[in-house]
């Protein structure tokens, strides 16, 4: 099993607050990896470090064997390592199709490509993916007018439009009603199996993460607490104390 | 009436007005030429401020630099600029017809390219700023450019430069520059209309809506921002070159870098018409110019108050501007069909099926 992301000994402090301390983890290619932990345990900090949002203090982050910890957000995104946001971010004044089209990967974009129109097959792909997440009927509405759950689905579809190799999802089901969660869960599985995208998911909903991921990392106080299969994690006393059931 | 019919009608009306206006009202030729300059101002400002969401208060910088580059080229091709400006027009420099037209042609070209080049250079520094900081930063560029040119004796300093005199009658001059202004406004409109249909247009809108998201999706944001400013600067450089020649005499503070008049007007016009729309800046510029000229003529002394009231009402009660309001209220006028959508709950269920 090869690892597409390798995080090794990564530390990150904000002033005196240590958000990540010597965290190491591996994301195997083609699988779904979960990341859990109590609030403030450093999950989003780690995501931010991986996608280049902030410089790390020490350690190494590799994507397909290439060191990326010194690269900026756009360069990393163009490598095919993409993230969605905890606070959903879409382009509010543009309609669904436009949101999709601008999300087409800029990986191989030459300078003059920006003055080209979008070919018909890209529009087809955009509509197909909107259909995939169930937003086809809403495709001509301003994305800002969609409900929160629909915006999450749109953001997910936009990420798929980009053809990423790895998708980092920061709480994909937060704030979504239970019916929609099942649908989203199904779409996430299909993104992994049908489109072959490796997923790395932060999730607070235990039912979701235990169903979704085939291996899970647990962070607490900025340090790696445990790693294992969903069963191992659910039965790990340290995880239970730190997070799952201790009061 | 469909969207395309309505659009054709608008084109016909504007073209008709542009061609017939100076024929029917020859006394207003200069005024209508200035109207097209206003349209150019609003359109080029909107590329940045409306489509991309970067409110530049310093776009007038490119108008001024274009004006000066054009003037210096026109003089410098045939005379020593330092000697010419030192004489303050006292030493009559004579330009033949050929010299005049060649100088003007080359001058306008260099004005466009020079302004675009400066935009590309400045872009690397100012695009680190966002929001109000970008607005103030660009304003500072325009203000300091005025002061720097004022202190530069070689180009005439605060005393300015008299431009080569048009070889022909006064009416001939008005008509000549009218045609150039009108053509520039049309060319700019056509170019921007095309530009907004390309990937570039969507990228500008994406930067406006959420630049961090655009970065996270791998969009070359700095590249797009810089090119957008370069395009604005290109057309503003031509505008400056034309306006300098129309007035015949240029100096840094009132004519070339008028931050508090033209520099603010271009923002006000785009906001009035509806920023971020294709037609908004055109409509805004026309309305603004008419209101401005009317108040200047009939309510002299109150003109600035009238303009202030318009800007305040616009900004406080009517932020989308006229076109923004219409697009919101009557989307079908603009060719946007909204399909009958089900209630949100049905959609949520659908999404899960």
């Amino acid at each position: 099993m090869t690892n597409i992301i390798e995080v090794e000994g990564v530390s990150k402090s904000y002033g005196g607050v240590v958000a990540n301390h010597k965290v190491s983890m591996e994301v195997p290619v083609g699988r779904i990896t979960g990341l859990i932990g109590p609030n403030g345990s450093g999950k989003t900090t780690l995501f931010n470090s991986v996608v280049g949002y902030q410089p790390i203090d020490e350690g190494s982050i590799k994507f397909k064997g290439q060191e990326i910890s010194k690269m900026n957000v756009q360069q990393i995104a163009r490598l095919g390592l993409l993230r969605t946001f905890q606070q959903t971010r879409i382009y509010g004044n543009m309609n669904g199709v436009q949101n999709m089209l601008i999300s087409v990967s800029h990986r191989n974009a030459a300078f003059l490509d920006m003055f080209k129109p979008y070919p018909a097959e890209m529009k087809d792909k955009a509509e197909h993916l909107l259909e995939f997440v169930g937003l086809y009927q809403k495709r001509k509405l301003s994305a800002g007018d969609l409900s929160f759950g629909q915006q999450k689905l749109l953001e997910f579809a936009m990420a798929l439009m980009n053809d990423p190799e790895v998708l980092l999802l920061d709480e994909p089901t937060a704030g979504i009603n239970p019916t929609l969660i099942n649908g989203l869960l199904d779409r996430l599985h299909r993104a992994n199996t049908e489109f072959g995208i490796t997923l790395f998911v932060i999730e607070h909903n235990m039912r979701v993460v235990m169903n979704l991921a085939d291996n899970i990392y647990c962070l607490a106080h900025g340090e790696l607490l445990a790693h294992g299969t969903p069963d191992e994690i659910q039965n790990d006393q340290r995880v239970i104390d730190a997070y799952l059931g201790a009061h | 009436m469909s969207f395309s019919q309505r659009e054709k009608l608008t084109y016909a009306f504007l073209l008709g007005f542009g061609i017939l206006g100076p024929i029917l009202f020859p006394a207003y030729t200069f005024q209508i030429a200035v109207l097209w300059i206003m349209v150019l101002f609003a359109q080029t400002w909107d590329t940045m401020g409306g489509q991309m969401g970067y409110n530049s208060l310093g776009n007038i910088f490119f108008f001024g630099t274009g004006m000066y580059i054009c003037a210096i080229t026109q003089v410098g091709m045939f005379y020593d600029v330092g000697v010419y400006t030192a004489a303050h027009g006292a030493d009559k420099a004579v330009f033949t017809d050929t010299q005049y037209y060649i100088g003007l042609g080359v001058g306008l070209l260099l004005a466009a390219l020079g302004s675009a080049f400066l935009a590309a250079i400045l872009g690397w520094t100012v695009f680190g700023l966002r929001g109000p900081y970008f607005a103030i930063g660009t304003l500072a560029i325009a203000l300091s450019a005025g002061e720097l040119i004022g202190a530069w004796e070689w180009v005439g300093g605060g005393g300015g430069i008299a431009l080569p005199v048009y070889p022909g009658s006064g009416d001939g001059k008005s008509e000549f520059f009218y045609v150039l202004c009108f053509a520039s406004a049309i060319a700019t409109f056509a170019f921007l209309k095309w530009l907004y249909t390309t990937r570039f247009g969507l990228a500008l809108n994406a930067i406006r809506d959420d630049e961090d998201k655009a970065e996270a999706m791998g969009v070359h944001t700095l590249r797009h921002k810089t090119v957008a400013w370069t395009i604005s600067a290109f057309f503003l450089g031509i505008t400056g070159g034309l306006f300098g020649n129309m007035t015949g005499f240029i100096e840094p503070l009132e004519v070339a870098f008028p931050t508090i008049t033209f520099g603010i007007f271009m923002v006000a016009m785009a906001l009035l018409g509806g920023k971020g729309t294709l037609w908004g800046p055109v409509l805004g510029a026309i309305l603004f110019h008419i209101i401005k000229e009317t108040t200047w003529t009939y309510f002299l002394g109150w003109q600035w108050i009238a303009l202030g009231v318009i800007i305040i009402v616009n900004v406080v009660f009517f932020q989308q501007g006229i076109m923004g309001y219409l697009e919101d209220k009557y989307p079908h006028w603009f060719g946007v069909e909204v399909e009958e959508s089900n209630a949100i709950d049905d959609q949520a269920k659908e999404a899960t099926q």
Side-chain angles (χ1 to χ4, degrees):
Chain A
M1 184 163 62
T2 44
N3 296 316
I4 193 157
I5 297 177
E6 289 164 317
V7 176
E8 213 181 295
V10 166
S11 298
K12 174 71 192 174
S13 308
Y14 299 106
V17 182
V18 181
N20 286 149
H21 180 64
K22 294 199 187 303
V23 174
S24 298
M25 56 181 67
E26 280 137 13
V27 178
V29 67
R31 309 290 285 275
I32 303 180
T33 304
L35 178 58
I36 62 171
N39 290 326
S41 61
K43 305 183 296 297
T44 299
T45 299
L46 187 71
F47 263 32
N48 284 339
S49 300
V50 171
V51 297
Y53 237 69
Q54 62 204 9
I56 55 174
D57 299 339
E58 58 170 335
S60 133
I61 300 170
K62 288 198 175 100
F63 175 66
K64 295 202 288 185
Q66 182 187 1
E67 184 66 37
I68 57 168
S69 58
K70 296 275 187 292
M71 295 169 88
N72 70 30
V73 174
Q74 290 143 303
Q75 290 167 326
I76 293 173
R78 288 195 286 269
L79 289 177
L81 174 55
L82 219 61
R83 68 94 59 93
T84 64
F85 291 88
Q86 194 171 352
Q87 306 297 328
T88 306
R89 297 182 98 145
I90 39 95
Y91 308 116
N93 293 316
M94 295 159 70
N95 70 29
V97 177
Q98 290 173 326
N99 266 277
M100 295 297 285
L101 287 175
I102 191 57
S103 303
V104 168
S105 170
H106 289 70
R107 215 161 299 163
N108 304 310
F111 187 80
L112 287 177
D113 283 354
M114 60 183 166
F115 299 116
K116 286 185 184 164
Y118 287 99
E121 66 257 29
M122 267 186 210
K123 289 179 187 160
D124 288 347
K125 186 180 172 191
E127 298 199 337
H128 173 77
L129 283 170
L130 285 170
E131 179 87 63
F132 176 74
V133 297
L135 287 176
Y136 183 76
Q137 270 97 345
K138 302 256 172 184
R139 70 194 184 282
K140 287 182 181 162
L141 288 181
S142 281
D145 292 339
L146 298 174
S147 73
F148 180 75
Q150 290 167 337
Q151 290 185 359
K152 282 229 145 175
L153 289 170
L154 178 62
E155 192 186 28
F156 176 55
M158 286 159 71
L160 296 181
M161 190 75 188
N162 198 282
D163 286 323
E165 293 192 45
V166 181
L167 193 50
L168 274 64
L169 299 157
D170 199 342
E171 300 197 31
T173 66
I176 296 192
N177 73 51
T179 353
L180 212 56
I181 287 183
N182 286 336
L184 186 61
L185 210 53
D186 167 58
R187 303 303 193 286
L188 290 172
H189 269 299
R190 284 170 61 190
N192 179 243
T193 50
E194 288 175 26
F195 303 136
I197 301 171
T198 303
L199 299 180
F200 189 21
V201 188
I202 294 180
E203 186 53 70
H204 271 302
N205 185 325
M206 281 308 120
R207 182 178 69 84
V208 169
V209 76
M210 295 303 164
N211 270 317
L212 194 63
D214 37 37
N215 74 97
I216 297 173
Y217 286 89
C218 180
L219 284 178
H221 306 298
E223 294 186 29
L224 190 63
L225 190 68
H227 172 221
T229 63
D231 276 345
E232 289 166 357
I233 289 290
Q234 268 171 315
N235 299 316
D236 189 306
Q237 194 54 46
R238 293 166 304 172
V239 177
I240 294 168
D241 288 346
Y243 186 32
L244 291 180
H247 290 286
Chain B
M1 209 181 339
S2 75
F3 172 61
S4 66
Q5 281 172 320
R6 199 170 273 118
E7 201 172 35
K8 274 183 199 132
L9 205 69
T10 316
Y11 285 133
F13 175 76
L14 284 177
L15 277 175
F17 172 73
I19 294 165
L20 294 178
I23 298 175
L24 296 177
F25 312 102
Y28 290 96
T29 307
F30 184 85
Q31 275 313 322
I32 309 176
V34 175
L35 170 67
W36 300 124
I37 294 228
M38 293 293 169
V39 170
L40 279 159
F41 278 157
Q43 289 187 100
T44 50
W45 185 85
D46 193 61
T47 304
M48 295 278 299
Q51 299 286 344
M52 199 172 89
Y54 269 72
N55 298 312
S56 164
L57 290 180
N59 271 15
I60 200 72
F61 170 74
F62 301 112
F63 176 76
T65 42
M67 192 180 286
Y68 265 92
I69 291 173
C70 187
I72 292 164
T73 310
Q74 282 175 274
V75 173
M77 280 175 75
F78 310 104
Y79 292 95
D80 182 306
V81 177
V83 174
Y84 182 89
T85 50
H88 288 296
D91 185 18
K92 273 276 181 206
V94 181
F95 294 84
T96 65
D97 289 10
T98 328
Q99 283 180 335
Y100 181 84
Y101 289 115
I102 290 177
L104 182 64
V106 176
L108 287 175
L109 182 70
L110 290 183
L113 295 177
S115 299
F117 175 73
L118 283 171
I121 303 279
L122 286 172
W124 287 101
T125 51
V126 293
F127 282 126
L129 305 172
R130 289 189 189 181
Y133 303 100
F134 178 79
I136 299 299
T138 48
L139 178 63
I141 292 175
L143 287 171
S144 46
E147 296 298 328
L148 285 172
I149 297 279
W152 191 8
E153 285 306 325
W154 187 71
V155 299
I161 314 179
L163 276 108
V165 180
Y166 177 78
S169 67
D171 285 350
K173 178 187 173 184
S174 297
E175 283 159 22
F176 177 70
F177 283 104
Y178 178 86
V179 172
L180 288 182
C181 289
F182 188 40
S184 302
I186 293 174
T188 308
F189 180 86
F191 180 80
L192 293 178
K193 184 179 159 81
W194 164 78
L195 185 70
Y196 297 153
T197 63
T198 65
R199 299 176 189 202
F200 191 81
L202 274 193
L204 293 192
N205 293 161
I207 291 169
R208 172 195 66 196
D209 283 1
D210 191 339
E211 187 170 349
D212 289 333
K213 173 71 178 176
E215 282 180 1
M217 295 299 282
V219 177
H220 293 269
T221 48
L222 180 63
R223 182 190 288 182
H224 282 89
K225 290 190 286 187
T226 309
V227 172
W229 217 24
T230 308
I231 290 168
S232 286
F234 181 90
F235 291 111
L236 272 171
I238 297 177
T239 314
L242 288 175
F243 191 76
N245 276 282
M246 285 163 68
T247 45
F249 176 81
I250 66 174
E251 57 78 53
L253 297 183
E254 300 286 324
V255 183
F257 301 98
T259 37
I260 55 158
T261 53
F262 286 169
I264 296 300
F265 291 172
M266 54 175 85
V267 185
M269 292 185 293
L271 293 184
L272 178 65
K275 64 175 182 169
T277 62
L278 180 67
W279 281 104
V282 179
L283 181 68
I286 294 172
L287 276 180
F288 188 89
H289 191 59
I290 292 171
I291 296 169
K292 179 174 144 303
E293 288 306 313
T294 315
T295 48
W296 247 257
T297 311
Y298 298 107
F299 304 99
L300 198 63
W302 291 88
Q303 76 273 34
W304 290 108
I305 294 168
L307 283 190
V309 169
I310 293 170
I311 293 175
I312 290 169
V313 170
N314 185 191
V315 169
V316 175
F317 299 107
F318 206 57
Q319 289 183 359
Q320 320 138 291
I322 297 165
M323 292 307 279
Y325 173 79
L326 291 177
E327 279 187 10
D328 225 32
K329 192 103 178 168
Y330 309 102
H332 55 280
W333 283 12
F334 300 89
V336 180
E337 327 130 35
V338 178
E339 287 178 20
E340 279 300 308
S341 55
N342 311 325
I344 297 290
D345 287 352
D346 295 346
Q347 283 295 310
K349 275 180 215 138
E350 244 176 60
T352 58
Q353 276 160 15

